[in-house]
């Protein structure tokens, strides 16, 4: 357990370092935003490109992996919605946001560095396969459910599914992560050579993706904090950190995923809630406090829960 904790701790220490840099005023919040932009638009897409283009999939099918992970998403999201609406008596919009906060893991900024450090390249490959569908699917489902909830609460007509899908598709086509994955698949399938110079550049940029992502995340956390809704936020945090990885672990074992793929799925499902929950709350103007509090709480205590899951699956 001590060895596992030693491997996990640097992930969260780098997040803490980013938070301290902004909190103490040593660096401004704008620096963190710029670093986050670089990570999302350049460093992580290059890392995904490198991983997919150089991966050896051994003919493995992605469907069992997707089923294992999204079974955890489905169970956790549903329970988060039920707890918010039935136990705490909130409306359907907050219910959707509670589900999102419970099930939307920060796979890019924390999952990738964590899996890369704990599992290695054998874990980055399945995580990259997951990322190929994770963001599109989660955003589509979250937006449609929130639109329906908004229509039910306000009584308005709302936007049709066609318009929603068109907007999401447009956003995804502009998403750098999708571009990185797509380029990696193209090079992997065609065998296009990058040459020594190209390969060296790709590897150098990919190498800074993990630490830069963690520090930029910590620098961004100052704007979230704990903003009330502690009852629901505590419940969504427990669902995110405990229930979701437990379901993913059980599903991975039942579906017969390899040990490295199982470890990668459990670890990335165990990481704190991603900022996408905040983005959805901001888009619909509801649940900001719940999203912010869940992001902060899961990040604050995630080092303990992630260490436990890493010890369990390794």
């Amino acid at each position: 357990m001590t060895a596992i904790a030693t491997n996990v701790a640097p992930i969260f220490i780098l997040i803490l370092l980013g938070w301290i840099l902004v909190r103490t005023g040593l660096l401004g919040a704008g620096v963190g935003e710029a670093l986050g932009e670089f990570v999302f638009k350049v460093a992580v897409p290059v890392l995904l490109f490198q991983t997919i283009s150089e991966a050896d999939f051994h003919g493995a099918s992605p469907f069992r992996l997707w089923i294992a992970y999204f079974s955890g998403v489905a169970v956790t999201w549903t329970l988060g919605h039920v707890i918010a609406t039935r136990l705490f008596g909130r409306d359907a919009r907050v219910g959707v946001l509670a589900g999102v906060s419970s099930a939307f893991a920060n796979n890019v900024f924390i999952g990738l560095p964590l899996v890369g450090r704990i599992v290695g390249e054998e874990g980055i490959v399945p995580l990259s396969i997951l990322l190929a569908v994770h963001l599109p699917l989660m955003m589509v489902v979250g937006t449609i459910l929130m639109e329906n909830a908004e229509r039910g609460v306000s009584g308005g007509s709302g936007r049709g599914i066609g318009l929603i899908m068109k907007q999401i598709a447009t956003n995804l086509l502009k998403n750098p992560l999708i571009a990185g994955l797509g380029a990696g698949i193209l090079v992997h399938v065609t065998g296009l050579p990058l040459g020594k110079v190209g390969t060296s550049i790709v590897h150098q940029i990919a190498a800074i993706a993990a630490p830069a992502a963690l520090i930029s995340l910590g620098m961004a956390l100052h704007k979230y904090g704990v903003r009330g809704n502690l009852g629901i936020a505590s419940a969504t945090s427990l669902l995110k950190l405990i229930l979701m990885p437990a379901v993913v672990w059980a599903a991975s074992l039942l579906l017969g995923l390899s040990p490295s793929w199982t470890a990668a799925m459990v670890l990335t499902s165990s990481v704190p809630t991603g900022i996408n929950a905040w983005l959805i709350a901001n888009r619909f103007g509801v649940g900001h406090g719940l999203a912010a509090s869940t992001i902060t709480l899961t990040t604050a205590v995630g080092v303990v829960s992630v260490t436990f899951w890493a010890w369990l699956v390794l």
Side-chain angles (χ1 to χ4, degrees):
M1 177 66 84
T2 301
I4 295 295
T6 302
N7 269 327
V8 172
I11 301 292
F12 290 87
I13 290 174
L14 286 174
I15 296 174
L16 178 62
L17 174 61
W19 182 82
I20 291 174
L21 289 173
V22 174
R23 184 68 176 178
T24 59
L26 187 61
L27 292 177
V31 176
E33 293 174 2
L35 181 59
E37 286 278 300
F38 170 76
V39 167
F40 182 74
K41 293 182 177 180
V42 180
V44 170
V46 170
L47 172 61
L48 295 176
F49 167 80
Q50 174 198 333
T51 301
I52 295 298
S53 64
E54 299 177 357
D56 183 0
F57 296 103
H58 303 292
S61 170
F63 294 105
R64 287 184 300 160
L65 180 147
W66 289 336
I67 292 171
Y69 185 86
F70 286 108
S71 63
V73 169
V75 171
T76 310
W77 190 317
T78 301
L79 192 54
H81 187 284
V82 170
I83 288 174
T85 55
R86 301 292 178 84
L87 184 60
F88 289 93
R90 303 303 178 87
D91 65 38
R93 296 173 302 175
V94 177
V96 172
L97 192 62
V100 172
S101 300
S102 301
F104 212 136
N106 197 335
N107 291 329
V108 173
F109 283 80
I110 304 181
L112 276 170
L114 176 69
V115 171
R117 184 176 181 85
I118 301 298
V119 185
E121 285 299 319
E122 291 185 353
I124 294 294
V125 171
L127 182 50
S128 299
I129 294 173
L130 172 65
L131 290 177
V133 299
H134 180 263
L135 181 62
L137 184 58
M138 296 291 282
M139 292 304 294
V140 167
V141 173
T143 302
I144 290 176
L145 290 178
M146 188 62 87
E147 288 276 355
N148 289 335
E150 181 77 20
R151 185 163 53 247
V153 172
S154 65
S157 58
R159 298 184 298 170
I161 292 181
L163 185 59
I164 296 172
M165 295 297 290
K166 180 180 179 181
Q167 179 184 347
I168 293 175
T170 300
N171 292 338
L172 289 174
L173 288 174
K174 299 176 181 178
N175 191 300
L177 301 181
I178 302 300
L181 288 166
I185 292 172
L186 178 64
V187 171
H188 182 86
V189 171
T190 62
L192 291 172
L194 296 179
K196 290 185 177 181
V197 174
T199 300
S200 176
I201 293 173
V202 167
H203 281 227
Q204 289 185 70
I205 295 176
I208 65 176
L214 295 168
I215 292 173
S216 67
L217 174 62
M219 297 178 76
L221 283 178
H222 79 284
K223 70 179 180 182
Y224 298 119
V226 177
R227 304 187 179 184
N229 295 280
L230 280 179
I232 305 181
S234 297
T236 55
S237 297
L238 287 172
L239 293 175
K240 177 67 209 62
L241 298 177
I242 304 300
L243 179 63
M244 184 172 170
V247 175
V248 171
W249 184 45
S252 298
L253 293 178
L254 288 173
L255 292 168
L257 295 186
S258 68
S260 61
W261 283 38
T262 297
M265 290 301 97
V266 172
L267 286 175
T268 196
S269 68
S270 73
V271 302
T273 299
I275 61 174
N276 304 81
W278 169 267
L279 296 178
I280 292 177
N282 197 53
R283 162 67 181 83
F284 290 93
V286 62
H288 295 82
L290 172 58
S293 296
T294 304
I295 292 169
T296 302
L297 288 175
T298 54
T299 304
V301 302
V303 62
V304 177
S305 58
V306 168
T307 299
F308 167 76
W309 288 111
W311 170 78
L312 192 65
V313 299
L314 295 179

